[in-house]
Amino acid sequence: MGGTGDDRQRESARGDLTQGPIGRTLLVFAIPTLASNIIQSLNGSINAIWVGRFLGERALAATANANIIMFLMFSVVFGFGMAATVVVAQAMGARNLDAARRSFGSAVGFCFLLSLAVALAGWLCAPALLRLLATPAEAFEPALIYLRVIFIAMPATLIGVMVMMGLRAAGDARTPLIFMFVSVGVDIILNPVLILGLGPIPAMGIGGSAAATAAAGVISLTGLLVYIYRKDLPLRLRGAELGYLKPAADQMRILIVKGLPMGFQMIIMSMSGLVMIGLVNREGLMITAAYGAAQQLWTYLQMPAMAIGSAVSAMAAQNIGAGRWDRVSRIAGSGHVLLLAVTGVMVALMLLFDRPLLALFLGDGSPAIEQARHMQHIVTWSFLMFGCAMIFFAVMRANGVVYGPLLILVISLFGVRLGFYEATYAMIGADGLWLSFPAGSATTLLLAMALYLHGGWRRAKLLVPPNAEQCREATNAESDPAGRIRPIG
């Protein structure tokens, strides 16, 4: 059921991130992950274009409010996924395929149960959440429709995310990319059909946009599971291994002790976003619409940090599991170089072509364009600093260190960012909101660098004990010109 010893050895060698030139290995592994995230962001932007052009600024403001809530709900599960991927990656680095499957199975089973609870709570609490955000009255009803339809598909969406995270932890970035294309393709095709009611399908308005996204998630997950078993990928569960889907006590301890702080990191960023959009809503519908359009572009700037950080964390965790500490600092350095190169180019392009890009969401003649451009010029460059901090966090997360980064985010996103806004709003008005972004990002980077250099995170206990013989083998293999099987990318 689990395969022979030789089968296990061949499977565990797939997606090996512990060998070869670090820069090239990271690049090959990170590119599909980055492409997957950019495609996902592009999908969200195309959906926003459909909504903004077909349904107007009221509907676009509604999706801006609904999406920030969705990110909050997503964060509840995402932290457990990050904890599971650290264990999977360390186990793969230690050549312990059974431990990787046990962790993956427990995470997927727990995610399914948790996502059902999140979906139900989200459906029931959606009106209260929108009121808490001070959602403009004109946008409240469409935002509620959009949000509730999305919650229906929450289990399929979150399980799909969990499975893709597990595959990347095992060194396979190509398979998640394939099925991100599937999801985005279905979503793009269905959005105008369901919004406008083309052919025999009735017009559903903003609910049609949400229904298209929900259908895409279900179809993509179904195809992904079929593909995993058809290709016999390393993390597939067969026979008695299907029992791993019942969360085990030892795995739950890791998921909770490590996953909750990781999830809280996402929740802190989500809550910061909730507070910010609540403050933006007080500036009126036009500023809210401008902020919604600017957010679409900022989403792209966050994608490199998330994608490269994910790749760095998986690569560092595999090397930590294999006992290859000599490579971990070089992985961090390569991650920063790649992050600055990719995000720097994106920042330059967005500032150079800001007007036509924003017009995609707001329309050529919208008065909100100038407001959005003003936000862009103040905020955009700060994502370089925040992205670099995320790389430091990703490396430390690879060894299960989570509380320091969480504290840093609380300090920078609430203490510094909101403190800056409160101190400056009376003098400079809404610019206090936009300038709080670079103030918070600079603080995050400085504190992350200090923790990385002096925090003692390398002394944390491994989540998966390394196999001494395999560590010696990995060290000797570094001099082998043939190397090992390279990451799936």
Side-chain angles (χ1 to χ4, degrees), residues 45-328:
S45 297
I46 292 173
N47 290 350
I49 292 171
W50 292 133
V51 171
R53 289 299 182 92
F54 294 154
L55 303 175
E57 291 167 348
R58 172 173 170 262
L60 185 61
T63 61
N65 281 266
N67 285 337
I68 199 72
I69 293 175
M70 289 307 305
F71 186 71
L72 176 62
M73 297 296 101
F74 173 77
S75 300
V76 174
V77 173
F78 191 68
F80 297 110
M82 288 191 290
T85 58
V86 169
V87 182
V88 170
Q90 286 193 4
M92 295 298 286
R95 307 298 182 262
N96 190 341
L97 187 56
D98 188 67
R101 288 175 177 166
R102 288 186 70 242
S103 177
F104 179 71
S106 288
V108 170
F110 179 65
C111 174
F112 175 71
L113 297 175
L114 187 59
S115 65
L116 290 177
V118 169
L120 178 61
W123 174 277
L124 296 175
C125 298
L129 289 170
L130 291 172
R131 283 192 290 270
L132 184 63
L133 282 180
T135 302
E138 311 96 303
F140 188 92
E141 173 114 14
L144 181 59
I145 295 171
Y146 183 89
L147 199 55
R148 280 186 157 169
V149 174
I150 288 291
F151 272 121
I152 293 173
M154 178 67 73
T157 300
L158 294 180
I159 292 171
V161 169
M162 180 71 76
V163 172
M164 289 184 181
M165 291 174 70
L167 292 174
R168 292 188 184 109
D172 182 356
R174 184 178 60 197
T175 300
L177 176 61
I178 292 171
F179 287 92
M180 186 58 66
F181 272 115
V182 172
S183 177
V184 169
V186 172
D187 202 358
I188 289 175
I189 292 170
L190 288 183
N191 247 277
V193 172
L194 298 182
I195 289 175
L196 299 176
L198 302 181
I201 298 175
M204 299 172 63
I206 195 170
S209 179
T213 300
V218 172
I219 292 170
S220 176
L221 174 61
T222 302
L224 177 59
L225 294 177
V226 171
Y227 184 89
I228 287 173
Y229 281 88
R230 287 285 297 272
K231 296 293 184 180
D232 198 32
L233 297 185
L235 293 181
R236 93 290 181 274
L237 304 176
R238 295 186 188 278
E241 293 172 341
L242 291 171
Y244 293 163
L245 291 170
K246 181 180 179 181
D250 59 334
Q251 296 297 321
M252 288 303 301
R253 279 194 296 271
I254 294 174
L255 289 178
I256 292 172
V257 172
K258 300 298 182 181
L260 282 177
M262 291 182 187
F264 277 128
Q265 290 180 33
M266 300 293 294
I267 290 172
I268 289 298
M269 290 189 282
S270 302
M271 291 177 63
S272 175
L274 287 172
V275 172
M276 290 299 293
I277 201 168
L279 296 173
V280 169
N281 284 337
R282 296 173 186 175
E283 302 295 322
L285 181 62
M286 196 58 61
I287 296 294
T288 301
Y291 186 71
Q295 273 189 315
Q296 291 295 326
L297 299 185
W298 295 342
T299 297
Y300 285 95
L301 295 180
Q302 295 176 70
M303 288 301 105
M306 294 179 67
I308 297 170
S310 175
V312 164
S313 188
M315 187 171 180
Q318 282 202 17
N319 280 272
I320 290 170
R324 299 305 313 273
W325 281 97
D326 55 302
R327 293 167 56 90
V328 174

Side-chain angles (χ1 to χ4, degrees), residues 453-468:
L453 294 175
H454 307 293
W457 61 274
R458 293 170 179 81
R459 294 191 295 271
K461 182 180 178 180
L462 288 179
L463 300 181
V464 177
N467 183 302

Side-chain angles (χ1 to χ4, degrees), residues 373-395:
R373 291 186 70 217
H374 181 65
M375 299 173 195
Q376 286 280 99
H377 293 162
I378 295 175
V379 173
T380 301
W381 64 274
S382 69
F383 286 96
L384 287 165
M385 294 186 293
F386 197 78
C388 286
M390 293 300 104
I391 299 300
F392 284 125
F393 290 164
V395 178

Side-chain angles (χ1 to χ4, degrees), residues 289-361:
Y291 186 71
Q295 273 189 315
Q296 291 295 326
L297 299 185
W298 295 342
T299 297
Y300 285 95
L301 295 180
Q302 295 176 70
M303 288 301 105
M306 294 179 67
I308 297 170
S310 175
V312 164
S313 188
M315 187 171 180
Q318 282 202 17
N319 280 272
I320 290 170
R324 299 305 313 273
W325 281 97
D326 55 302
R327 293 167 56 90
V328 174
S329 295
R330 288 184 286 154
I331 291 170
S334 296
H336 280 108
V337 170
L338 185 57
L339 183 282
L340 289 172
V342 174
T343 308
V345 170
M346 295 176 69
V347 166
L349 291 174
M350 286 185 186
L351 292 179
L352 188 61
F353 300 104
D354 59 343
R355 188 185 296 275
L357 289 172
L358 291 166
L360 289 172
F361 310 107

